[in-house]
Amino acid sequence: MDRTDALGSIKDMAARCSNWGRWGEDDVLGTLNLITAGHRVQAAGLVSTGEVISLAQAFDTNGPQNGWRRRTNPVHTMTDTGTEAEFGDQGFPHGFGGADDVIAMPLQCSTQWDGLGHIFDHGRAWNGRRAGSVVTSEGDQVTGIETAADQIVGRGVLLDVGRHFQPELGAEHPELPDGFAITPEHLDAVAAAQGVEVRDGDILLVRTGQYGRTRRDGWGHYAGGPAPGLSFTTAPWLHERDIAAVATDTWGFEVRPNEFDDAFQPLHQIVIPNMGLYIGEMWNLEALGQRCAELNRYDFLLSAPPLPVTGAVGSPVNPVAIL
Amino acid sequence: MDRTDALGSIKDMAARCSNWGRWGEDDVLGTLNLITAGHRVQAAGLVSTGEVISLAQAFDTNGPQNGWRRRTNPVHTMTDTGTEAEFGDQGFPHGFGGADDVIAMPLQCSTQWDGLGHIFDHGRAWNGRRAGSVVTSEGDQVTGIETAADQIVGRGVLLDVGRHFQPELGAEHPELPDGFAITPEHLDAVAAAQGVEVRDGDILLVRTGQYGRTRRDGWGHYAGGPAPGLSFTTAPWLHERDIAAVATDTWGFEVRPNEFDDAFQPLHQIVIPNMGLYIGEMWNLEALGQRCAELNRYDFLLSAPPLPVTGAVGSPVNPVAIL
Amino acid sequence: MDRTDALGSIKDMAARCSNWGRWGEDDVLGTLNLITAGHRVQAAGLVSTGEVISLAQAFDTNGPQNGWRRRTNPVHTMTDTGTEAEFGDQGFPHGFGGADDVIAMPLQCSTQWDGLGHIFDHGRAWNGRRAGSVVTSEGDQVTGIETAADQIVGRGVLLDVGRHFQPELGAEHPELPDGFAITPEHLDAVAAAQGVEVRDGDILLVRTGQYGRTRRDGWGHYAGGPAPGLSFTTAPWLHERDIAAVATDTWGFEVRPNEFDDAFQPLHQIVIPNMGLYIGEMWNLEALGQRCAELNRYDFLLSAPPLPVTGAVGSPVNPVAIL
Amino acid sequence: MDRTDALGSIKDMAARCSNWGRWGEDDVLGTLNLITAGHRVQAAGLVSTGEVISLAQAFDTNGPQNGWRRRTNPVHTMTDTGTEAEFGDQGFPHGFGGADDVIAMPLQCSTQWDGLGHIFDHGRAWNGRRAGSVVTSEGDQVTGIETAADQIVGRGVLLDVGRHFQPELGAEHPELPDGFAITPEHLDAVAAAQGVEVRDGDILLVRTGQYGRTRRDGWGHYAGGPAPGLSFTTAPWLHERDIAAVATDTWGFEVRPNEFDDAFQPLHQIVIPNMGLYIGEMWNLEALGQRCAELNRYDFLLSAPPLPVTGAVGSPVNPVAIL
């Protein structure tokens, strides 16, 4: 990659990593096609302790969002409360009382999947479709997140990069510093040290530790600021290994500032529209990282189906690792 | 039960089925305590075909809601589109384009879990707490749905009541008629016929077929109108069997019109605040019912963790059955 | 007009009534330019009784909307309540208590102004601009409703067509039947009978009485169904008289079904993008009609500034007539 | 007032300034009763230049709110756009295209009226009603802002305190510093210097200049931070003069930090529930202040009817001064 040439580097990388047409011209699932029934049977076989670890951050107004491009934090309000059930008159018979609630939120305000309609490359969406024919004001007419409702269950593998490099970095906490670009070599080193093999069809979780830092120090610039994350150069690594989906504990998945002089999320531009890869962002990998280290075990059954909001280009999700 | 005495019947049933104090006075999980790690390991062992079936209905404006008590259908809008990525100027460099979206919805607009703060009995919430100290305008301060984020994974069992009684009812479709009250005897008969045992810690799914009817005939009065559902008399059956959670394919879980002369959701009033039972509503059990019948197999690994909206008394969910 | 040729009729009418360029190529106000300071001084001089009549319908969930194109009714929820101020603990000192609220609504859910970015003619917005350069996913970048924040105050004139034609129609109530097309001749007849002159710069209010019918009979198909309203042929009448803005008590301003065999709101297509005319819809003209009849007086000071939502193509409004 | 005794001072002041019962026990309008038809006729007589000045701030995501108590900035999204009308297929005939939009916002996010159900004193709402019987989760059942829909039109008087004290304060701009408490003596001095008389039934506008400062320096802590504003001691002044409503250009109307050692908005606690006074906040008085100074004239017709959101305890508003 040439730091000064984002455009050229992106074009080359897109050509190298493209999956357009691989699953037919009507395909809407991209790399989720790589999760087979056989993979799921094997992944279920990994369940040995019966523990469930939620990989979701909270969904509430105390979140990381700052309103950039109208990405706010969720606003959750009650239409009925227990206070009124106890003291008021809700109009119900026989001592019945109820509480109810509504929410307004961006679909990518907290732990989420990016759908395949989220990012475009030169006006093209996943599989080479025209962006304007896919995602209109009425939502994603083709690759809406509802198409993945019964797909994202499989073998999860955690690469705890933050923990692995703590000694080498002399860090106080098992966390990568902001701006740390995770390369293919880093990923291979962590997998080797952890003794885990990354296989085709896996859902890969990369822990940087940045989210843990926010729990200690506050959100700071978690939403859109400098962050550790995957290097642009990991695109071929993800492509060659046939990863089915990948998630990190950061806002933006890839390293920030980005690795080109003038760029915005160049790795997204490769992996979503060109590879058809589902990306998870703002996952909470703190408890999982801790537990995997204790058990010295880094694979598990992962269930992370998106909420099937018709035509959505992203979805809130509560992913669970079942160990 | 005495049809003319909802209040007295509810008081008696509440006393009979109460779990208050069973898991300590600080408990926030209710019957979810009944799902153990061992149950989950066993449930994972059921996975044999690797199929995943989503049990969610769609989340969109074409939903069943009619605005009753401000329960509307979701409103999903785009803050950026592919049309603009293709034809407009989104302000990004190197051919990068994006689409993004927001949603406003009741938390119980479509496939959902009722949290333990959703229903009260004479001003009391789950475990005997004062309703007014639990669910305020700021949400459920004690039993918010986020407490269940890492709980609802276990053995799912489907009782396909609609399909079982089709011959006996002479029905054209495998669906119960509206107003059909499912009794303990019905549940036992279906379980026996299906050859499946309902055990402690199970997540029980009861298919009436009413949702399938809406797919054919339109929503009609699905939200709040007459419907098949569990009889008030099933409360002890659910209690004695130590069911961990129960879900149906109807709006309101219990039979409607309710079985008392003047009542509103009396079974809710027993099972949520008194038993501490998680209830799922508006699940889509159509594909699962069909597939279970084909495989002649009615248990599976079920993963249905709620979205951890802080303080919510309900949650949208995309439950998945892994066969 | 040729009933079978909507397209041709619209093209001809657009050419005939166009105001493009009339107020310069940078204009964003359209016919609001026609309200001068002098007009306002004269209009203020009309105030003689000091009465104020609100011309707004209610904004709440019991409104006319049915979700068409995601037009729902408003959802208003409380974030704090008096119940909690009285019985709970809101965390404030010295006996202070508070209630607060939020709303989610379409900007055109109830009494409203259509902004100039609301409707396009063959991809062209007001003053001939490209629609795609005016209204993007980020809103109206040019003619957003905020540009009219200090404009819509002037002389209001009511033409109570429903009341005028009641005898002739033999109607039980002062209301036009659905499908009644109000022609230029009708407007002239009503003005003459009322003894009021319609002048340049006026804000014209046309009462059909349909809203009054909904107060008696329920909403029915008020939103999008058959309705009385202005005929397509009134475009030149509005144009020649230099009306500054026009409002009716119906959902859609123009008669429905529309007067062409296959059409959708053809008068909108003339008056908004081609004339630059502000249209008010769903105004409540019941009390005003009654009072004007009692006083035998049909002009007044009208204050109806839109809410300056940046980039909005419509705005809720509470118009007031000051008599 | 005793700085160390907020509670005692509030109790004394509430007794001194109470209007409970003054307009009957069923009253819902409070001091708005003081605006008579005669006042409005006189106010209309003030209109001499025909200028209209909007006193609203913008309503958009770039607003002052920071999420405190779920007070966010408005989120405005498009359901249809001009981009699609130009390039896409909206499904309409004869070249018709449209744009439409929705908004989600707190009712007190920008320029607003506080309704009478917004603040309580020891569990009591305006006119002595129990707070819990007035404002429930379903909104204000008694004094909802819709009751004022046809009320708030009258004589507006601007006291430009920021401009008046600029020389004395040696300020670079016509703005009071944060924390400046405006006393009755200040108000009288400004009125005298401006040559304007404050009369019963007036809608009083007090300009501090703080909003102008935010236009220059950014929002800073405009929402909830230190600010100039009315002193607690102005309550009797407002009461004795029979002011009908009062508005300022700050977030919170009264001086902040408040004048007691431990207090929260004590003047609100007097004027809303005890006096029944409508308060306007976050008004934009910049252009009006400038123009009044130029014209050396400080009274005008003011039209500021709230949006009649059923049961709301506050309302966005676009107030207009007609000079």
Side-chain angles (χ1 to χ4, degrees):
Chain A
M1 53 174 281
D2 175 353
R3 255 205 118 70
T4 66
D5 183 16
L7 185 59
S9 300
I10 288 168
K11 284 193 175 168
D12 291 348
M13 191 67 93
R16 178 171 171 190
C17 296
S18 173
N19 281 323
W20 289 4
R22 178 172 174 186
W23 296 286
E25 65 178 22
D26 292 337
D27 180 68
V28 296
L29 293 177
T31 53
L32 296 182
N33 283 291
L34 296 163
I35 311 180
T36 65
H39 285 129
R40 290 194 189 105
V41 174
Q42 285 187 309
L46 295 171
V47 177
S48 60
T49 71
E51 288 165 88
V52 174
I53 297 175
S54 165
L55 309 182
Q57 298 184 15
F59 284 75
D60 63 37
T61 51
N62 303 313
Q65 304 298 336
N66 52 28
W68 178 78
R69 292 185 94 83
R70 286 172 284 174
R71 290 241 193 109
T72 63
N73 293 303
V75 175
H76 168 234
T77 56
M78 306 302 299
T79 49
D80 282 299
T81 67
T83 311
E84 271 150 29
E86 185 174 350
F87 297 106
D89 176 7
Q90 294 189 308
F92 295 114
H94 53 69
F96 181 99
D100 219 354
D101 40 12
V102 303
I103 200 165
M105 63 175 172
L107 287 168
Q108 304 192 14
C109 59
S110 182
T111 305
Q112 75 184 69
W113 282 116
D114 284 357
L116 296 187
H118 179 45
I119 301 294
F120 312 106
D121 181 7
H122 290 85
R124 295 282 157 172
W126 160 240
N127 225 17
R129 298 183 183 95
R130 288 183 34 220
S133 68
V134 175
V135 187
T136 72
S137 292
E138 301 197 40
D140 187 327
Q141 313 293 309
V142 180
T143 45
I145 204 98
E146 73 276 17
T147 57
D150 56 359
Q151 298 292 320
I152 315 182
V153 175
R155 179 182 182 240
V157 171
L158 175 70
L159 295 184
D160 194 340
V161 186
R163 197 171 309 271
H164 175 79
F165 284 104
Q166 182 180 4
E168 185 171 321
L169 292 164
E172 188 180 356
H173 301 280
E175 301 162 6
L176 301 178
D178 293 336
F180 186 103
I182 300 170
T183 63
E185 294 70 31
H186 293 138
L187 294 173
D188 285 333
V190 175
Q194 289 182 176
V196 69
E197 189 187 6
V198 177
R199 304 185 198 133
D200 67 283
D202 278 352
I203 302 163
L204 181 67
L205 311 184
V206 178
R207 181 183 172 278
T208 70
Q210 194 206 26
Y211 174 66
R213 186 150 65 240
T214 72
R215 297 309 76 202
R216 201 173 57 243
D217 298 343
W219 287 115
H221 296 286
Y222 183 76
L230 268 64
S231 167
F232 183 74
T233 60
T234 58
W237 190 95
L238 295 165
H239 185 239
E240 289 157 14
R241 270 154 194 76
D242 273 346
I243 301 292
V246 58
T248 70
D249 54 353
T250 66
W251 173 84
F253 163 67
E254 55 189 294
V255 64
R256 290 180 63 84
N258 300 136
E259 297 154 287
F260 296 100
D261 291 345
D262 177 22
F264 185 76
Q265 302 293 76
L267 184 55
H268 276 69
Q269 194 172 338
I270 303 302
V271 299
I272 294 180
N274 289 291
M275 283 177 55
L277 182 69
Y278 264 70
I279 298 178
E281 287 166 339
M282 293 186 272
W283 290 36
N284 173 1
L285 303 176
E286 292 308 289
L288 181 67
Q290 181 69 35
R291 192 64 180 133
C292 284
E294 290 166 6
L295 296 173
N296 191 28
R297 174 194 153 191
Y298 293 88
D299 56 356
F300 36 81
L301 177 61
L302 181 74
S303 179
L307 204 62
V309 177
T310 308
V313 299
S315 173
V317 64
N318 176 7
V320 285
I322 311 165
L323 272 65
Chain B
M1 55 173 280
D2 175 353
R3 254 204 118 70
T4 66
D5 183 15
L7 186 60
S9 300
I10 288 168
K11 282 193 174 167
D12 291 348
M13 191 66 94
R16 179 172 170 190
C17 296
S18 173
N19 281 324
W20 288 4
R22 179 173 173 185
W23 296 286
E25 65 177 22
D26 292 337
D27 180 68
V28 296
L29 293 177
T31 53
L32 296 182
N33 283 290
L34 296 164
I35 310 179
T36 65
H39 285 129
R40 290 194 189 105
V41 174
Q42 286 188 308
L46 295 171
V47 176
S48 61
T49 70
E51 288 165 88
V52 174
I53 298 176
S54 166
L55 309 181
Q57 298 184 15
F59 285 74
D60 62 39
T61 51
N62 303 312
Q65 305 297 336
N66 52 29
W68 179 77
R69 293 186 94 83
R70 285 171 284 174
R71 291 241 193 109
T72 62
N73 293 303
V75 176
H76 169 233
T77 55
M78 306 303 299
T79 49
D80 281 299
T81 66
T83 311
E84 270 149 31
E86 184 174 350
F87 297 105
D89 177 8
Q90 295 189 309
F92 295 114
H94 52 71
F96 181 99
D100 219 353
D101 40 12
V102 303
I103 199 165
M105 63 176 172
L107 288 167
Q108 304 191 15
C109 58
S110 182
T111 305
Q112 75 182 70
W113 282 116
D114 285 356
L116 295 187
H118 179 45
I119 302 294
F120 313 107
D121 181 7
H122 289 87
R124 293 284 157 171
W126 160 240
N127 226 14
R129 297 181 183 97
R130 287 183 35 220
S133 68
V134 175
V135 186
T136 72
S137 292
E138 300 196 41
D140 186 328
Q141 312 293 308
V142 180
T143 45
I145 203 99
E146 72 275 17
T147 58
D150 56 359
Q151 298 291 321
I152 314 182
V153 175
R155 180 181 181 240
V157 171
L158 174 70
L159 295 184
D160 194 340
V161 186
R163 197 171 308 272
H164 175 78
F165 284 104
Q166 182 180 5
E168 185 170 323
L169 292 165
E172 189 181 356
H173 300 281
E175 300 162 6
L176 301 178
D178 292 337
F180 186 103
I182 301 170
T183 64
E185 294 70 32
H186 292 140
L187 295 174
D188 284 334
V190 175
Q194 290 183 177
V196 70
E197 189 186 9
V198 177
R199 305 185 197 133
D200 67 282
D202 278 352
I203 302 163
L204 182 67
L205 312 184
V206 178
R207 182 183 171 278
T208 70
Q210 194 206 24
Y211 175 65
R213 187 150 64 240
T214 72
R215 297 309 78 202
R216 202 173 55 244
D217 299 343
W219 286 115
H221 296 285
Y222 183 77
L230 268 66
S231 166
F232 183 73
T233 60
T234 57
W237 190 94
L238 296 165
H239 186 238
E240 288 157 15
R241 269 154 195 75
D242 274 347
I243 301 293
V246 57
T248 70
D249 54 354
T250 65
W251 173 84
F253 164 65
E254 54 188 293
V255 63
R256 289 178 64 82
N258 301 138
E259 296 154 289
F260 296 101
D261 292 345
D262 178 24
F264 184 77
Q265 302 294 74
L267 183 56
H268 275 70
Q269 194 172 337
I270 303 302
V271 300
I272 295 180
N274 289 292
M275 283 177 55
L277 181 69
Y278 265 68
I279 298 178
E281 288 165 338
M282 293 186 272
W283 290 36
N284 173 0
L285 303 176
E286 293 307 290
L288 181 67
Q290 180 70 34
R291 192 63 180 135
C292 283
E294 290 166 5
L295 297 173
N296 191 26
R297 173 194 155 192
Y298 293 87
D299 57 355
F300 35 81
L301 177 62
L302 181 74
S303 180
L307 204 63
V309 177
T310 308
V313 298
S315 173
V317 64
N318 177 6
V320 285
I322 311 166
L323 272 65
Chain C
M1 54 173 281
D2 177 353
R3 253 205 120 68
T4 65
D5 182 15
L7 186 59
S9 302
I10 288 168
K11 283 192 174 167
D12 291 347
M13 191 66 93
R16 178 171 171 191
C17 298
S18 174
N19 281 323
W20 289 4
R22 179 172 173 186
W23 296 286
E25 64 178 22
D26 292 337
D27 180 69
V28 297
L29 293 177
T31 54
L32 297 181
N33 283 291
L34 296 164
I35 311 179
T36 66
H39 285 130
R40 290 194 191 106
V41 175
Q42 286 187 308
L46 296 171
V47 176
S48 62
T49 70
E51 289 165 89
V52 174
I53 297 176
S54 165
L55 309 182
Q57 298 185 14
F59 285 75
D60 63 37
T61 51
N62 303 313
Q65 305 297 336
N66 53 26
W68 179 77
R69 292 186 94 85
R70 284 171 285 174
R71 290 241 193 109
T72 62
N73 292 302
V75 175
H76 168 234
T77 55
M78 307 302 298
T79 50
D80 281 300
T81 66
T83 312
E84 269 149 32
E86 184 175 348
F87 297 107
D89 176 8
Q90 295 190 308
F92 294 114
H94 52 72
F96 181 99
D100 220 354
D101 39 13
V102 302
I103 199 165
M105 62 176 172
L107 286 168
Q108 304 192 14
C109 58
S110 183
T111 305
Q112 74 184 69
W113 283 117
D114 284 356
L116 295 186
H118 179 45
I119 301 294
F120 313 106
D121 181 8
H122 289 87
R124 293 284 156 171
W126 161 240
N127 227 13
R129 296 181 184 97
R130 287 185 33 221
S133 68
V134 176
V135 186
T136 71
S137 291
E138 302 197 40
D140 187 327
Q141 313 293 308
V142 180
T143 46
I145 204 98
E146 72 277 16
T147 58
D150 57 359
Q151 298 292 321
I152 315 182
V153 175
R155 179 181 182 241
V157 171
L158 176 70
L159 295 184
D160 194 340
V161 187
R163 197 171 308 272
H164 176 78
F165 285 105
Q166 183 179 6
E168 183 170 324
L169 292 165
E172 188 180 358
H173 301 280
E175 301 162 6
L176 301 178
D178 293 336
F180 186 103
I182 301 170
T183 64
E185 294 69 31
H186 292 140
L187 295 173
D188 284 333
V190 175
Q194 289 183 176
V196 71
E197 189 187 6
V198 178
R199 305 186 198 131
D200 68 281
D202 278 351
I203 302 162
L204 181 67
L205 311 184
V206 178
R207 182 183 171 277
T208 69
Q210 194 205 26
Y211 175 65
R213 188 151 63 241
T214 71
R215 298 308 77 203
R216 202 174 55 243
D217 298 343
W219 287 115
H221 295 286
Y222 183 77
L230 269 64
S231 166
F232 184 73
T233 61
T234 59
W237 190 95
L238 295 165
H239 185 238
E240 288 156 16
R241 272 155 194 73
D242 273 347
I243 302 294
V246 57
T248 70
D249 53 354
T250 64
W251 173 83
F253 164 67
E254 55 188 295
V255 64
R256 291 180 63 83
N258 302 136
E259 297 155 288
F260 296 101
D261 292 344
D262 177 24
F264 184 77
Q265 302 294 75
L267 184 55
H268 276 69
Q269 194 171 337
I270 302 302
V271 299
I272 295 180
N274 289 292
M275 284 178 54
L277 182 69
Y278 264 69
I279 298 178
E281 288 165 336
M282 293 186 272
W283 290 36
N284 173 2
L285 303 176
E286 292 309 289
L288 182 66
Q290 180 70 35
R291 192 64 181 134
C292 284
E294 290 165 5
L295 298 172
N296 191 26
R297 173 194 155 192
Y298 293 89
D299 57 355
F300 36 81
L301 177 62
L302 181 73
S303 180
L307 203 63
V309 176
T310 309
V313 298
S315 173
V317 65
N318 176 7
V320 286
I322 311 166
L323 272 65
Chain D
M1 54 172 282
D2 176 352
R3 251 203 122 70
T4 66
D5 182 16
L7 185 60
S9 301
I10 288 168
K11 283 192 174 168
D12 291 348
M13 191 66 93
R16 179 173 172 191
C17 297
S18 174
N19 281 324
W20 288 4
R22 179 173 173 186
W23 297 285
E25 65 178 22
D26 291 337
D27 179 69
V28 297
L29 293 177
T31 54
L32 296 182
N33 283 290
L34 296 163
I35 311 179
T36 66
H39 285 130
R40 290 194 190 106
V41 175
Q42 287 188 308
L46 296 171
V47 176
S48 60
T49 70
E51 288 165 88
V52 174
I53 298 176
S54 165
L55 310 181
Q57 298 184 14
F59 285 75
D60 63 37
T61 51
N62 303 313
Q65 305 297 337
N66 53 28
W68 178 78
R69 293 186 93 83
R70 286 171 283 174
R71 290 242 194 109
T72 62
N73 293 304
V75 175
H76 168 233
T77 55
M78 306 304 297
T79 49
D80 281 299
T81 67
T83 311
E84 271 150 29
E86 184 174 350
F87 298 106
D89 176 8
Q90 295 189 309
F92 295 114
H94 52 71
F96 181 99
D100 219 353
D101 40 12
V102 303
I103 199 165
M105 64 176 170
L107 287 168
Q108 304 192 13
C109 59
S110 182
T111 305
Q112 74 183 73
W113 283 117
D114 284 356
L116 296 187
H118 178 46
I119 302 294
F120 313 105
D121 181 7
H122 289 85
R124 294 283 156 172
W126 160 241
N127 226 15
R129 298 182 184 96
R130 287 182 35 218
S133 69
V134 175
V135 187
T136 70
S137 292
E138 300 196 40
D140 187 327
Q141 312 293 309
V142 180
T143 46
I145 204 98
E146 72 276 17
T147 58
D150 56 0
Q151 298 292 321
I152 315 182
V153 175
R155 179 182 182 241
V157 171
L158 175 69
L159 295 185
D160 194 341
V161 187
R163 197 171 309 270
H164 175 79
F165 284 105
Q166 182 179 6
E168 185 170 323
L169 291 165
E172 187 180 357
H173 301 280
E175 300 160 8
L176 301 178
D178 293 336
F180 185 104
I182 301 169
T183 64
E185 294 70 31
H186 292 140
L187 295 173
D188 285 333
V190 175
Q194 289 184 177
V196 70
E197 189 186 8
V198 176
R199 305 187 197 130
D200 67 282
D202 278 352
I203 302 163
L204 181 68
L205 312 184
V206 179
R207 182 183 172 278
T208 69
Q210 194 204 25
Y211 174 66
R213 188 151 64 240
T214 71
R215 297 309 77 203
R216 202 173 55 242
D217 298 343
W219 286 116
H221 296 286
Y222 183 77
L230 268 65
S231 167
F232 183 73
T233 61
T234 58
W237 190 95
L238 295 165
H239 186 238
E240 288 156 16
R241 271 154 194 75
D242 273 346
I243 302 293
V246 58
T248 70
D249 55 353
T250 65
W251 172 85
F253 163 68
E254 54 189 293
V255 64
R256 292 179 61 84
N258 301 136
E259 297 155 289
F260 296 101
D261 292 345
D262 177 23
F264 184 77
Q265 302 293 75
L267 184 55
H268 276 69
Q269 194 172 338
I270 303 302
V271 300
I272 294 179
N274 289 291
M275 284 178 55
L277 181 69
Y278 265 70
I279 299 178
E281 288 166 338
M282 293 185 272
W283 290 35
N284 173 1
L285 303 175
E286 292 308 289
L288 181 67
Q290 181 70 34
R291 191 64 180 135
C292 284
E294 290 166 5
L295 297 172
N296 192 27
R297 173 194 155 191
Y298 294 89
D299 56 357
F300 35 81
L301 177 61
L302 181 74
S303 180
L307 203 64
V309 177
T310 308
V313 299
S315 173
V317 65
N318 177 6
V320 285
I322 311 165
L323 272 65

